[in-house]
Amino acid sequence: MAKEEIYVSVDIEADGPIPGVNSMINLGMAAFRLGSDKPGDTFEVNIAALPEAVQDPDTMDFWGRNPEAWAYVNRDPEEAGSAMTQVYVGLRSLPGKPVMVVYPTYDFMFVRWYLVRFCGAQKARGFGFQALDIKTLAMAAMGHPTFKGVSKRSMSKAHPEWFKGQPEHDHTGLADAIGQGMLFVRIMQTLEAQGSRVVVANHIDTVNM
């Protein structure tokens, strides 16, 4: 019998757009099963900047406008190798096959790069080579004709119930991961109610690295 899939909503914060050139400074994860929009296991860690990396000026302008979030994601950072080892161990402890769920796929790029660098390619297979993109899933559920026309604003207008009770999106990893995981489960519930599980298979966006 195939292992149950555990959907791990992931949100990262960084000081720039490119892993390696810039640093991932905060990582939050929340595990979900499709039967519930309440998270199971959760994890969050602040990560020390890479010594060879630089901060992107545009990204730092964003953080300058969000000083409370910046202070939060820089509190008591752990060395990157230790942080990613904790991620690997946490994935191994889940009672099923972890599937990364992201909004957008930017988060997958950072997590994959960090896992490969600090845990090795073999251990980086915890999430495999792909992630499930919530925005593409919403495009299928809404029957929207364009990808760029799908945003959280358009989602909330079409399906306000998808966002009910979510934590505030405050640019900290765990809170944002929980909110995005709740959104994912509710979109899947809408698709199930529409009898559209086959449609999902044709619209899930994967990231191949």
Side-chain angles (χ1 to χ4, degrees), residues 4-7 31-38 40 95-96 184-185:
E4 176 189 12
E5 290 186 336
I6 305 294
Y7 296 93
F32 288 82
R33 287 181 164 92
L34 292 183
S36 172
D37 61 7
K38 306 299 182 188
F184 161 70
V185 171

Side-chain angles (χ1 to χ4, degrees), residues 148-165:
K148 289 191 175 181
V150 177
S151 65
K152 288 187 178 178
R153 179 174 295 180
S154 65
M155 290 182 211
S156 65
K157 288 181 178 179
H159 290 278
E161 72 279 6
W162 287 355
F163 295 86
K164 185 177 179 181

Side-chain angles (χ1 to χ4, degrees), residues 9-13 26-30 43-45 172-175 177:
S9 176
V10 173
D11 185 84
I12 72 101
E13 305 299 336
N26 172 262
L27 167 63
M29 303 192 302
F43 173 82
E44 185 175 36
V45 64
T172 63
L174 183 56

Side-chain angles (χ1 to χ4, degrees), residues 49-200:
L50 302 173
E52 71 276 18
V54 297
Q55 294 180 334
D56 172 68
D58 290 340
T59 305
M60 296 313 296
D61 284 345
F62 163 81
W63 286 118
R65 298 190 299 273
N66 295 274
E68 291 184 5
W70 177 249
Y72 180 94
V73 301
N74 281 279
R75 190 178 303 143
D76 301 322
E78 296 202 25
E79 185 271 328
S82 171
M84 299 316 293
T85 297
Q86 292 176 55
V87 171
Y88 169 74
V89 171
L91 292 176
R92 294 273 295 178
S93 72
L94 291 174
K97 181 176 175 59
V99 175
M100 189 189 299
V101 177
V102 290
Y103 187 110
T105 50
Y106 164 90
D107 303 80
F108 174 84
M109 174 177 66
F110 270 91
V111 174
R112 171 74 183 168
W113 189 93
Y114 268 73
L115 280 170
V116 170
R117 172 167 176 181
F118 293 103
C119 297
Q122 197 71 23
K123 291 182 178 178
R125 293 179 180 178
F127 276 126
F129 294 91
Q130 61 278 319
L132 191 156
D133 175 29
I134 296 173
K135 183 172 177 177
T136 306
L137 194 70
M139 180 182 176
M142 295 165 66
H144 203 286
T146 66
F147 181 76
K148 289 191 175 181
V150 177
S151 65
K152 288 187 178 178
R153 179 174 295 180
S154 65
M155 290 182 211
S156 65
K157 288 181 178 179
H159 290 278
E161 72 279 6
W162 287 355
F163 295 86
K164 185 177 179 181
Q166 284 189 16
E168 179 183 357
H169 190 87
D170 63 1
H171 308 296
T172 63
L174 183 56
D176 293 354
I178 290 172
Q180 290 165 186
M182 294 170 69
L183 175 61
F184 161 70
V185 171
R186 290 167 179 174
I187 294 172
M188 290 294 289
Q189 289 171 344
T190 295
L191 284 163
E192 184 174 23
Q194 295 170 349
S196 301
R197 285 201 180 275
V198 174
V199 174
V200 177

